[in-house]
């Protein structure tokens, strides 16, 4: 059997651990408008017993002018503490389809210093399909103190991203679908240019999983190799708004790649400005 990521947990293993002390389960479902799904509404209708909902639009820096930007450690801690989660617990994060929005919250917890955080393979859709328990009961929460240990080095801001592009000092792995990367398809957000950053490589987030489950390590290595991404060099991950870039981050980290960071503003920032270089067509 091919080797799998140590950062994912199977639904069978999670089912056995339901109700364990020190285990927190987080529903991090978030969707683009075109998906026709609402994470909060779906959570209220049915979720894994004991799960709490992580609102990616609410737990964000709303002053940034960009969608769901990483919040300050203080704001993150306030929200997570109100959800009854501490930094020393084992946290399992899931979303609806699996490996779409949950990796972003996995990354956020890691950036804030949590080490024991994992992703549910197959997501909630796979959980329900397998006939595993779900409930619409409100999860009882006892607020706690969440103490963050923020690792700012894992986050790339605009000024640094501009230098990286200009100097080609790091590889760029873009998680958007190929049509958006090449500029063939319009961006879903109004007023945003199409195309990609000079030097970027396209690693569509959807290619890294199958049926909501992260692909095995050998398959992930091949995907990066085919995309022209050198796993021996530093990498910055990017996407539309910083969500699916974390799917690439998850895949890289699963492969033992440590020199990777996430450009939080992603294309929402780069593509909406008029002073940034944009390339159309396939990767160089």
């Amino acid at each position: 059997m091919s080797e799998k990521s140590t950062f994912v947990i199977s639904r069978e293993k999670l089912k056995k651990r339901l109700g364990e002390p020190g285990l927190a389960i987080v529903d991090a479902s978030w969707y683009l408008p075109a998906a026709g799904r609402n994470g909060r509404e779906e959570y209220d209708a049915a979720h894994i017993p004991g799960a709490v909902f992580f609102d990616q639009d609410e737990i964000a820096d709303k002053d940034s002018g960009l969608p769901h930007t990483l919040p300050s450690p203080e704001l993150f801690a306030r929200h997570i503490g109100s959800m009854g989660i501490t930094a020393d617990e084992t946290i399992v994060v899931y979303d609806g389809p699996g490996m779409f929005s949950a990796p972003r919250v996995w990354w956020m917890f890691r950036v804030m210093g949590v080490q024991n955080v994992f992703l549910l393979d197959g997501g909630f859709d796979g959980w329900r399909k397998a006939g595993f328990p779900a409930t619409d009961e409100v999860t009882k929460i006892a607020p706690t103190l969440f103490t963050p240990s923020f690792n700012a080095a894992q986050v790339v801001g605009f000024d640094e991203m501009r230098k990286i592009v200009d100097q080609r000092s790091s590889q760029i792995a873009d998680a958007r679908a190929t049509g958006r990367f090449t500029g063939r398809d319009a961006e879903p957000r109004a007023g945003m240019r199409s195309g990609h950053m000079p030097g970027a490589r396209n690693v569509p987030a959807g290619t890294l999983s199958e049926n909501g489950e992260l692909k095995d390590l050998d398959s992930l290595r091949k995907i990066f190799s085919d995309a022209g991404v050198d796993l021996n060099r530093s990498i910055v991950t990017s996407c539309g708004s910083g969500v699916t870039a974390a799917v690439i981050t998850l895949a890289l980290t699963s492969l033992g790649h440590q020199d990777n960071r996430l450009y939080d503003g992603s294309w929402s920032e780069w593509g909406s400005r008029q002073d940034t270089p944009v390339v159309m067509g396939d990767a160089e």
Side-chain angles (χ1 to χ4, degrees):
M1 186 176 178
S2 299
E3 188 179 2
K4 291 275 289 184
S5 170
T6 58
F7 297 106
V8 299
I9 183 172
S10 70
R11 44 188 169 264
E12 291 80 13
K13 287 184 178 179
L14 179 60
K15 181 175 180 289
K16 290 179 181 178
R17 297 188 62 179
L18 289 181
E20 274 189 10
L23 174 69
I25 305 175
V26 177
D27 185 327
S29 299
W30 175 89
Y31 302 97
L32 289 166
R37 299 178 66 171
N38 183 290
R40 180 79 215 200
E41 291 177 359
E42 291 187 11
Y43 168 83
D44 289 339
H47 53 265
I48 295 175
V52 295
F53 185 72
F54 188 110
D55 190 331
Q56 297 202 46
D57 291 319
E58 188 66 27
I59 306 176
D61 178 4
K62 295 185 177 181
D63 295 328
S64 72
L66 299 167
H68 38 251
T69 301
L70 187 71
S72 68
E74 294 76 20
L75 179 60
F76 186 87
R78 193 155 60 245
H79 278 287
I80 302 305
S82 72
M83 293 160 64
I85 299 174
T86 62
D88 59 357
E89 288 185 283
T90 296
I91 301 170
V92 176
V93 186
Y94 71 88
D95 58 33
M99 303 304 154
F100 178 68
S101 60
R104 165 73 181 192
V105 174
W106 169 86
W107 173 78
M108 291 173 73
F109 273 115
R110 285 174 59 86
V111 168
M112 295 297 174
V114 178
Q115 296 302 313
N116 293 321
V117 55
F118 305 91
L119 288 147
L120 175 62
D121 236 3
F124 189 59
D125 293 351
W127 178 272
R128 292 299 297 274
K129 188 175 181 180
F132 288 173
T135 183
D136 62 357
E137 292 183 7
V138 177
T139 298
K140 295 179 180 178
I141 296 174
T144 61
L145 177 64
F146 180 91
T147 305
S149 180
F150 182 48
N151 184 358
Q154 290 299 304
V155 189
V156 177
F158 174 76
D159 290 340
E160 185 179 6
M161 194 70 224
R162 185 62 193 259
K163 291 179 181 177
I164 288 170
V165 171
D166 290 345
Q167 300 172 6
R168 303 292 178 100
S169 55
S170 181
Q171 298 173 100
I172 304 165
D174 190 323
R176 291 176 299 152
T178 300
R180 292 171 62 189
F181 179 87
T182 61
R184 184 183 67 243
D185 298 335
E187 286 295 308
R189 294 176 177 85
M192 204 168 297
R193 293 177 294 165
S194 297
H196 58 268
M197 288 174 267
R201 298 288 180 170
N202 191 204
V203 186
T207 66
L208 299 170
S209 63
E210 186 172 1
N211 298 321
E213 298 185 1
L214 190 69
K215 291 182 177 179
D216 63 76
L217 301 189
D218 286 343
S219 297
L220 295 178
R221 286 191 192 92
K222 186 176 187 308
I223 289 168
F224 285 115
S225 176
D226 291 348
V229 177
D230 184 351
L231 295 177
N232 294 311
R233 295 178 54 212
S234 65
I235 301 168
V236 174
T237 63
S238 180
C239 61
S241 61
V243 173
T244 58
V247 182
I248 301 181
T249 302
L250 167 65
L252 290 171
T253 308
S254 298
L255 291 170
H257 187 279
Q258 297 182 345
D259 191 5
N260 64 81
R261 299 180 293 157
L262 189 148
Y263 172 31
D264 201 30
S266 284
W267 198 254
S268 292
E269 182 171 50
W270 192 275
S272 63
R273 297 177 64 115
Q274 299 304 310
D275 61 345
T276 50
V278 171
V279 177
M280 303 285 279
D282 295 331
E284 297 173 11

